Amino acid sequence: VDFSFNVNETETKIKTVVVRVVDIAGKVLDQQNFAAAQGMNNISIDATPYAVGNYFVTISNGSTTVVEKFVKN
């Protein structure tokens, strides 16, 4: 099962976006760096290796960080 989400990058230049998947205990399970262009960027994270449970996805472009929770059933 893929867990997909959109990153909306509104910068005028290409930015590096860091995406982290963190478990409920705070352990970083995955970290990926992406070059995000201006506008909407689609980034897919494969949640197949993760056990059933609660996770957080942290998306940071260096100036803004967004944290979203997701549940794998």
Side-chain angles (χ1 to χ4, degrees):
V1 174
D2 284 342
F3 170 71
S4 298
F5 56 92
N6 293 325
V7 176
N8 186 11
E9 183 60 50
T10 58
E11 302 294 333
T12 58
K13 324 182 239 190
I14 293 176
K15 287 272 199 171
T16 299
V17 174
V18 180
V19 179
R20 291 183 187 95
V21 177
V22 181
D23 69 12
I24 199 77
K27 181 180 176 185
V28 177
L29 303 175
D30 189 16
Q31 178 174 314
Q32 298 180 31
N33 297 333
F34 297 93
Q38 181 182 5
M40 183 66 71
N41 293 269
N42 293 317
I43 299 171
S44 293
I45 301 295
D46 181 11
T48 304
Y50 307 140
V52 171
N54 296 307
Y55 298 90
F56 297 96
V57 176
T58 302
I59 306 162
S60 178
N61 70 359
S63 60
T64 304
T65 299
V66 175
V67 180
E68 294 289 335
K69 180 181 175 183
F70 77 94
V71 178
K72 181 175 178 187
N73 297 318

